[in-house]
Amino acid sequence: MPELPEVEVVRRGLERWTTDRTIASAEVLHPRSVRRHAPGPADFAGRLAGRTVRAPQRRGKYLWLPLSTPDGAAGGVDGADGANEAVLAHLGMSGQLLVGEPDREREKHLRVRIAFADGGRDLRFVDQRTFGHLMVTDLVPDVVGGEKGPGLVPEPIVHIAADPLEHAFDAEAFFRALRRRRTGIKRALLDQSLISGVGNIYADEALWRARLHWARPTDTMTRAEAARVLEGAQEVMEAALAVGGTSFDSLYVDVNGDSGYFERSLDAYGRRDEPCRRCGAPIRRDEFMNRSSYSCPVCQPRPRRAR
DNA sequence: ACGTCGACCTGTGGGC
DNA sequence: TGCCCACAGGTCGACG
């Protein structure tokens, strides 16, 4: 499941169910799901066996499980238990990480299964469209978050910006980056190297809250406008998180397979022709970046100069 | 440094 | 019932 709140719901579930458990074996049922693990599926499975999973971390839409140092290996960069490798996961459009009794039926789109040495609940990566992926990768010092960041991040995501719910997020740096870009605000919000975790739903929701049109050029935005967008994003994602995220169908679920119910609280996304909750005007739908954008034609007037 | 487009996949729902 | 189309929460690389 896609955006930050849904991924954080999954992270919390993993924190409860897999932390400090030792992997017995991993089984890759579809090679495409580990396509970004360059050494291949056998190497992926081989690296997991015998490793202990530490507390899951997240940045934007990525989450990762740090791994204990393999038996017989030298300690990692931060000492005794290493944690210099991790399983990195991105759920893509339809990925799920599910925890449950090992003898339950296999899901139709089960791609990777991880069994634990204690014989308890297993961890399954289920992904209908296979846009998501898992890989084992090195952890490297975080250049984005600095002192306030998570310390170590998976190497493949060093280019991913901090997300607006982490302490390391620098609002002033975000504002300066916006002013340097010659693009529209929604494009900027969806650019994970500028701000991470925001996808199509929460971009529309943040802009509705900020009363800004998606094509508003960023190079003339004021500090106050940027702050409104940022606060909009933070507030809407916190609110979604509090009720388990947004799910339109059973594709977006937590590790136990339960859906969140933020859908009913959406103000813009998916509300074409329904009345704006602020002014009553019918919400419009535009095509933008080969996808849909929803906004209020009155509260969010199109700028004269649009991007 | 930008934007656009297609590719990567499977499934659902609507119109005919 | 089938068939075809539009659409779906994301990211990446090629090409201007």
Side-chain angles (χ1 to χ4, degrees), chain A residues 61 90 246 252 269 291-292:
Chain A
K61 304 170 195 172
H90 193 289
T246 300
Y252 304 100
Y269 189 86
R291 56 217 308 203
S292 300

PDB file of all heavy atoms in Angstrom, chain A residues 61 90 246 252 269 291-292, chain C residues 6-12:
ATOM      1  N   LYS A  61       7.816   6.100   1.686  1.00  0.00           N
ATOM      2  CA  LYS A  61       7.050   4.891   1.395  1.00  0.00           C
ATOM      3  C   LYS A  61       7.906   3.641   1.492  1.00  0.00           C
ATOM      4  O   LYS A  61       7.429   2.543   1.193  1.00  0.00           O
ATOM      5  CB  LYS A  61       6.429   4.989   0.008  1.00  0.00           C
ATOM      6  CG  LYS A  61       5.545   6.217  -0.190  1.00  0.00           C
ATOM      7  CD  LYS A  61       5.157   6.396  -1.658  1.00  0.00           C
ATOM      8  CE  LYS A  61       4.614   7.795  -1.895  1.00  0.00           C
ATOM      9  NZ  LYS A  61       4.400   8.060  -3.332  1.00  0.00           N
ATOM     10  N   HIS A  90       9.504  -2.064  -0.658  1.00  0.00           N
ATOM     11  CA  HIS A  90       8.598  -1.033  -1.179  1.00  0.00           C
ATOM     12  C   HIS A  90       7.355  -1.772  -1.651  1.00  0.00           C
ATOM     13  O   HIS A  90       7.457  -2.777  -2.348  1.00  0.00           O
ATOM     14  CB  HIS A  90       9.234  -0.251  -2.331  1.00  0.00           C
ATOM     15  CG  HIS A  90       8.466   1.001  -2.665  1.00  0.00           C
ATOM     16  ND1 HIS A  90       7.228   0.960  -3.269  1.00  0.00           N
ATOM     17  CD2 HIS A  90       8.734   2.295  -2.446  1.00  0.00           C
ATOM     18  CE1 HIS A  90       6.794   2.207  -3.414  1.00  0.00           C
ATOM     19  NE2 HIS A  90       7.680   3.030  -2.921  1.00  0.00           N
ATOM     20  N   THR A 246      -5.824   4.825   4.485  1.00  0.00           N
ATOM     21  CA  THR A 246      -6.912   4.893   3.514  1.00  0.00           C
ATOM     22  C   THR A 246      -6.976   3.591   2.738  1.00  0.00           C
ATOM     23  O   THR A 246      -5.969   3.114   2.254  1.00  0.00           O
ATOM     24  CB  THR A 246      -6.659   6.035   2.503  1.00  0.00           C
ATOM     25  OG1 THR A 246      -6.573   7.271   3.216  1.00  0.00           O
ATOM     26  CG2 THR A 246      -7.777   6.118   1.471  1.00  0.00           C
ATOM     27  N   TYR A 252      -5.451  -2.659   0.408  1.00  0.00           N
ATOM     28  CA  TYR A 252      -4.657  -1.844   1.329  1.00  0.00           C
ATOM     29  C   TYR A 252      -4.993  -2.167   2.754  1.00  0.00           C
ATOM     30  O   TYR A 252      -5.970  -1.683   3.300  1.00  0.00           O
ATOM     31  CB  TYR A 252      -4.829  -0.366   1.015  1.00  0.00           C
ATOM     32  CG  TYR A 252      -4.467  -0.154  -0.426  1.00  0.00           C
ATOM     33  CD1 TYR A 252      -5.438  -0.051  -1.401  1.00  0.00           C
ATOM     34  CD2 TYR A 252      -3.149  -0.208  -0.817  1.00  0.00           C
ATOM     35  CE1 TYR A 252      -5.094   0.046  -2.738  1.00  0.00           C
ATOM     36  CE2 TYR A 252      -2.790  -0.109  -2.146  1.00  0.00           C
ATOM     37  CZ  TYR A 252      -3.767   0.014  -3.096  1.00  0.00           C
ATOM     38  OH  TYR A 252      -3.419   0.106  -4.409  1.00  0.00           O
ATOM     39  N   TYR A 269      -9.783  13.858  -2.864  1.00  0.00           N
ATOM     40  CA  TYR A 269      -9.487  12.683  -3.688  1.00  0.00           C
ATOM     41  C   TYR A 269     -10.714  11.791  -3.903  1.00  0.00           C
ATOM     42  O   TYR A 269     -11.389  11.392  -2.936  1.00  0.00           O
ATOM     43  CB  TYR A 269      -8.364  11.841  -3.063  1.00  0.00           C
ATOM     44  CG  TYR A 269      -7.902  10.745  -4.003  1.00  0.00           C
ATOM     45  CD1 TYR A 269      -6.935  10.996  -4.964  1.00  0.00           C
ATOM     46  CD2 TYR A 269      -8.479   9.483  -3.953  1.00  0.00           C
ATOM     47  CE1 TYR A 269      -6.541  10.014  -5.852  1.00  0.00           C
ATOM     48  CE2 TYR A 269      -8.093   8.495  -4.844  1.00  0.00           C
ATOM     49  CZ  TYR A 269      -7.131   8.765  -5.787  1.00  0.00           C
ATOM     50  OH  TYR A 269      -6.754   7.792  -6.662  1.00  0.00           O
ATOM     51  N   ARG A 291      -2.619  10.764 -14.544  1.00  0.00           N
ATOM     52  CA  ARG A 291      -3.442  10.274 -13.442  1.00  0.00           C
ATOM     53  C   ARG A 291      -4.481  11.317 -13.105  1.00  0.00           C
ATOM     54  O   ARG A 291      -4.636  12.279 -13.844  1.00  0.00           O
ATOM     55  CB  ARG A 291      -2.572   9.914 -12.242  1.00  0.00           C
ATOM     56  CG  ARG A 291      -1.706  11.043 -11.776  1.00  0.00           C
ATOM     57  CD  ARG A 291      -0.342  10.579 -11.307  1.00  0.00           C
ATOM     58  NE  ARG A 291      -0.441   9.504 -10.321  1.00  0.00           N
ATOM     59  CZ  ARG A 291       0.495   9.209  -9.449  1.00  0.00           C
ATOM     60  NH1 ARG A 291       1.595   9.929  -9.404  1.00  0.00           N
ATOM     61  NH2 ARG A 291       0.364   8.221  -8.603  1.00  0.00           N
ATOM     62  N   SER A 292      -5.199  11.152 -12.018  1.00  0.00           N
ATOM     63  CA  SER A 292      -6.270  12.071 -11.675  1.00  0.00           C
ATOM     64  C   SER A 292      -5.839  13.057 -10.600  1.00  0.00           C
ATOM     65  O   SER A 292      -5.089  12.704  -9.700  1.00  0.00           O
ATOM     66  CB  SER A 292      -7.478  11.290 -11.160  1.00  0.00           C
ATOM     67  OG  SER A 292      -7.932  10.394 -12.140  1.00  0.00           O
TER      68      SER A 292
ATOM     69  P    DA C   6      -9.904   3.909 -23.548  1.00  0.00           P
ATOM     70  OP1  DA C   6     -10.034   5.197 -24.243  1.00  0.00           O
ATOM     71  OP2  DA C   6      -8.640   3.153 -23.581  1.00  0.00           O
ATOM     72  O5'  DA C   6     -10.311   4.111 -22.021  1.00  0.00           O
ATOM     73  C5'  DA C   6     -11.634   4.491 -21.666  1.00  0.00           C
ATOM     74  C4'  DA C   6     -11.711   4.607 -20.153  1.00  0.00           C
ATOM     75  O4'  DA C   6     -11.719   3.282 -19.580  1.00  0.00           O
ATOM     76  C3'  DA C   6     -10.519   5.336 -19.543  1.00  0.00           C
ATOM     77  O3'  DA C   6     -10.976   6.176 -18.499  1.00  0.00           O
ATOM     78  C2'  DA C   6      -9.633   4.206 -19.027  1.00  0.00           C
ATOM     79  C1'  DA C   6     -10.660   3.144 -18.656  1.00  0.00           C
ATOM     80  N9   DA C   6     -10.155   1.776 -18.754  1.00  0.00           N
ATOM     81  C8   DA C   6      -9.369   1.237 -19.744  1.00  0.00           C
ATOM     82  N7   DA C   6      -9.092  -0.037 -19.564  1.00  0.00           N
ATOM     83  C5   DA C   6      -9.743  -0.358 -18.379  1.00  0.00           C
ATOM     84  C6   DA C   6      -9.839  -1.549 -17.641  1.00  0.00           C
ATOM     85  N6   DA C   6      -9.263  -2.693 -18.013  1.00  0.00           N
ATOM     86  N1   DA C   6     -10.558  -1.522 -16.503  1.00  0.00           N
ATOM     87  C2   DA C   6     -11.135  -0.370 -16.135  1.00  0.00           C
ATOM     88  N3   DA C   6     -11.120   0.816 -16.745  1.00  0.00           N
ATOM     89  C4   DA C   6     -10.395   0.752 -17.867  1.00  0.00           C
ATOM     90  P    DC C   7      -9.894   7.165 -17.821  1.00  0.00           P
ATOM     91  OP1  DC C   7     -10.633   8.389 -17.482  1.00  0.00           O
ATOM     92  OP2  DC C   7      -8.650   7.227 -18.604  1.00  0.00           O
ATOM     93  O5'  DC C   7      -9.569   6.384 -16.472  1.00  0.00           O
ATOM     94  C5'  DC C   7     -10.608   5.974 -15.589  1.00  0.00           C
ATOM     95  C4'  DC C   7     -10.001   5.070 -14.553  1.00  0.00           C
ATOM     96  O4'  DC C   7      -9.765   3.787 -15.140  1.00  0.00           O
ATOM     97  C3'  DC C   7      -8.633   5.559 -14.063  1.00  0.00           C
ATOM     98  O3'  DC C   7      -8.758   6.070 -12.743  1.00  0.00           O
ATOM     99  C2'  DC C   7      -7.732   4.344 -14.121  1.00  0.00           C
ATOM    100  C1'  DC C   7      -8.692   3.206 -14.436  1.00  0.00           C
ATOM    101  N1   DC C   7      -8.074   2.152 -15.279  1.00  0.00           N
ATOM    102  C2   DC C   7      -8.126   0.834 -14.838  1.00  0.00           C
ATOM    103  O2   DC C   7      -8.691   0.579 -13.774  1.00  0.00           O
ATOM    104  N3   DC C   7      -7.555  -0.138 -15.591  1.00  0.00           N
ATOM    105  C4   DC C   7      -6.949   0.178 -16.741  1.00  0.00           C
ATOM    106  N4   DC C   7      -6.413  -0.809 -17.443  1.00  0.00           N
ATOM    107  C5   DC C   7      -6.892   1.525 -17.207  1.00  0.00           C
ATOM    108  C6   DC C   7      -7.461   2.475 -16.452  1.00  0.00           C
ATOM    109  P    DA C   8      -7.511   6.831 -12.097  1.00  0.00           P
ATOM    110  OP1  DA C   8      -8.032   7.941 -11.288  1.00  0.00           O
ATOM    111  OP2  DA C   8      -6.489   7.076 -13.129  1.00  0.00           O
ATOM    112  O5'  DA C   8      -6.921   5.708 -11.119  1.00  0.00           O
ATOM    113  C5'  DA C   8      -7.709   5.213 -10.064  1.00  0.00           C
ATOM    114  C4'  DA C   8      -6.969   4.084  -9.395  1.00  0.00           C
ATOM    115  O4'  DA C   8      -7.157   2.876 -10.160  1.00  0.00           O
ATOM    116  C3'  DA C   8      -5.437   4.280  -9.408  1.00  0.00           C
ATOM    117  O3'  DA C   8      -5.036   5.093  -8.306  1.00  0.00           O
ATOM    118  C2'  DA C   8      -4.952   2.857  -9.259  1.00  0.00           C
ATOM    119  C1'  DA C   8      -6.025   2.050 -10.000  1.00  0.00           C
ATOM    120  N9   DA C   8      -5.583   1.635 -11.333  1.00  0.00           N
ATOM    121  C8   DA C   8      -5.300   2.434 -12.409  1.00  0.00           C
ATOM    122  N7   DA C   8      -4.903   1.779 -13.467  1.00  0.00           N
ATOM    123  C5   DA C   8      -4.917   0.450 -13.058  1.00  0.00           C
ATOM    124  C6   DA C   8      -4.599  -0.759 -13.719  1.00  0.00           C
ATOM    125  N6   DA C   8      -4.182  -0.821 -14.978  1.00  0.00           N
ATOM    126  N1   DA C   8      -4.725  -1.917 -13.009  1.00  0.00           N
ATOM    127  C2   DA C   8      -5.134  -1.851 -11.742  1.00  0.00           C
ATOM    128  N3   DA C   8      -5.464  -0.776 -11.023  1.00  0.00           N
ATOM    129  C4   DA C   8      -5.335   0.351 -11.751  1.00  0.00           C
ATOM    130  P    DG C   9      -4.169   6.433  -8.515  1.00  0.00           P
ATOM    131  OP1  DG C   9      -5.094   7.593  -8.506  1.00  0.00           O
ATOM    132  OP2  DG C   9      -3.280   6.249  -9.641  1.00  0.00           O
ATOM    133  O5'  DG C   9      -3.269   6.517  -7.230  1.00  0.00           O
ATOM    134  C5'  DG C   9      -3.768   6.402  -5.920  1.00  0.00           C
ATOM    135  C4'  DG C   9      -2.638   6.396  -4.920  1.00  0.00           C
ATOM    136  O4'  DG C   9      -2.982   5.511  -3.877  1.00  0.00           O
ATOM    137  C3'  DG C   9      -1.314   5.830  -5.407  1.00  0.00           C
ATOM    138  O3'  DG C   9      -0.327   6.269  -4.505  1.00  0.00           O
ATOM    139  C2'  DG C   9      -1.529   4.347  -5.335  1.00  0.00           C
ATOM    140  C1'  DG C   9      -2.485   4.201  -4.163  1.00  0.00           C
ATOM    141  N9   DG C   9      -3.650   3.329  -4.416  1.00  0.00           N
ATOM    142  C8   DG C   9      -3.955   2.658  -5.569  1.00  0.00           C
ATOM    143  N7   DG C   9      -5.045   1.950  -5.476  1.00  0.00           N
ATOM    144  C5   DG C   9      -5.503   2.191  -4.178  1.00  0.00           C
ATOM    145  C6   DG C   9      -6.648   1.722  -3.496  1.00  0.00           C
ATOM    146  O6   DG C   9      -7.526   0.969  -3.916  1.00  0.00           O
ATOM    147  N1   DG C   9      -6.746   2.216  -2.211  1.00  0.00           N
ATOM    148  C2   DG C   9      -5.846   3.065  -1.644  1.00  0.00           C
ATOM    149  N2   DG C   9      -6.069   3.449  -0.416  1.00  0.00           N
ATOM    150  N3   DG C   9      -4.767   3.529  -2.267  1.00  0.00           N
ATOM    151  C4   DG C   9      -4.655   3.042  -3.526  1.00  0.00           C
ATOM    152  P    DG C  10       0.968   6.805  -5.129  1.00  0.00           P
ATOM    153  OP1  DG C  10       1.851   7.254  -4.056  1.00  0.00           O
ATOM    154  OP2  DG C  10       0.549   7.712  -6.198  1.00  0.00           O
ATOM    155  O5'  DG C  10       1.605   5.500  -5.800  1.00  0.00           O
ATOM    156  C5'  DG C  10       2.122   4.467  -4.986  1.00  0.00           C
ATOM    157  C4'  DG C  10       3.505   4.068  -5.471  1.00  0.00           C
ATOM    158  O4'  DG C  10       3.380   3.381  -6.746  1.00  0.00           O
ATOM    159  C3'  DG C  10       4.442   5.255  -5.708  1.00  0.00           C
ATOM    160  O3'  DG C  10       5.679   4.954  -5.092  1.00  0.00           O
ATOM    161  C2'  DG C  10       4.565   5.363  -7.213  1.00  0.00           C
ATOM    162  C1'  DG C  10       4.258   3.945  -7.692  1.00  0.00           C
ATOM    163  N9   DG C  10       3.568   3.908  -8.974  1.00  0.00           N
ATOM    164  C8   DG C  10       2.469   4.629  -9.345  1.00  0.00           C
ATOM    165  N7   DG C  10       2.074   4.373 -10.564  1.00  0.00           N
ATOM    166  C5   DG C  10       2.978   3.415 -11.021  1.00  0.00           C
ATOM    167  C6   DG C  10       3.065   2.746 -12.263  1.00  0.00           C
ATOM    168  O6   DG C  10       2.335   2.882 -13.247  1.00  0.00           O
ATOM    169  N1   DG C  10       4.130   1.862 -12.304  1.00  0.00           N
ATOM    170  C2   DG C  10       5.003   1.636 -11.272  1.00  0.00           C
ATOM    171  N2   DG C  10       5.975   0.754 -11.487  1.00  0.00           N
ATOM    172  N3   DG C  10       4.937   2.248 -10.096  1.00  0.00           N
ATOM    173  C4   DG C  10       3.903   3.124 -10.046  1.00  0.00           C
ATOM    174  P    DT C  11       6.878   6.020  -5.068  1.00  0.00           P
ATOM    175  OP1  DT C  11       7.665   5.770  -3.847  1.00  0.00           O
ATOM    176  OP2  DT C  11       6.326   7.342  -5.353  1.00  0.00           O
ATOM    177  O5'  DT C  11       7.792   5.561  -6.280  1.00  0.00           O
ATOM    178  C5'  DT C  11       8.385   4.268  -6.185  1.00  0.00           C
ATOM    179  C4'  DT C  11       9.039   3.906  -7.483  1.00  0.00           C
ATOM    180  O4'  DT C  11       8.089   3.854  -8.556  1.00  0.00           O
ATOM    181  C3'  DT C  11      10.139   4.874  -7.931  1.00  0.00           C
ATOM    182  O3'  DT C  11      11.317   4.104  -7.935  1.00  0.00           O
ATOM    183  C2'  DT C  11       9.714   5.321  -9.334  1.00  0.00           C
ATOM    184  C1'  DT C  11       8.757   4.218  -9.746  1.00  0.00           C
ATOM    185  N1   DT C  11       7.684   4.598 -10.694  1.00  0.00           N
ATOM    186  C2   DT C  11       7.585   3.909 -11.892  1.00  0.00           C
ATOM    187  O2   DT C  11       8.354   3.026 -12.212  1.00  0.00           O
ATOM    188  N3   DT C  11       6.556   4.308 -12.693  1.00  0.00           N
ATOM    189  C4   DT C  11       5.628   5.303 -12.426  1.00  0.00           C
ATOM    190  O4   DT C  11       4.740   5.559 -13.229  1.00  0.00           O
ATOM    191  C5   DT C  11       5.790   5.972 -11.172  1.00  0.00           C
ATOM    192  C7   DT C  11       4.830   7.053 -10.792  1.00  0.00           C
ATOM    193  C6   DT C  11       6.801   5.597 -10.373  1.00  0.00           C
ATOM    194  P    DC C  12      12.758   4.775  -8.128  1.00  0.00           P
ATOM    195  OP1  DC C  12      13.637   4.044  -7.206  1.00  0.00           O
ATOM    196  OP2  DC C  12      12.675   6.239  -8.068  1.00  0.00           O
ATOM    197  O5'  DC C  12      13.114   4.352  -9.626  1.00  0.00           O
ATOM    198  C5'  DC C  12      12.968   2.994 -10.012  1.00  0.00           C
ATOM    199  C4'  DC C  12      13.124   2.907 -11.525  1.00  0.00           C
ATOM    200  O4'  DC C  12      11.892   3.299 -12.163  1.00  0.00           O
ATOM    201  C3'  DC C  12      14.221   3.821 -12.062  1.00  0.00           C
ATOM    202  O3'  DC C  12      15.197   3.026 -12.710  1.00  0.00           O
ATOM    203  C2'  DC C  12      13.507   4.772 -13.020  1.00  0.00           C
ATOM    204  C1'  DC C  12      12.176   4.078 -13.301  1.00  0.00           C
ATOM    205  N1   DC C  12      11.037   4.999 -13.511  1.00  0.00           N
ATOM    206  C2   DC C  12      10.196   4.804 -14.599  1.00  0.00           C
ATOM    207  O2   DC C  12      10.432   3.873 -15.367  1.00  0.00           O
ATOM    208  N3   DC C  12       9.146   5.640 -14.784  1.00  0.00           N
ATOM    209  C4   DC C  12       8.932   6.630 -13.921  1.00  0.00           C
ATOM    210  N4   DC C  12       7.878   7.421 -14.139  1.00  0.00           N
ATOM    211  C5   DC C  12       9.780   6.844 -12.799  1.00  0.00           C
ATOM    212  C6   DC C  12      10.813   6.022 -12.631  1.00  0.00           C
TER     213       DC C  12
END
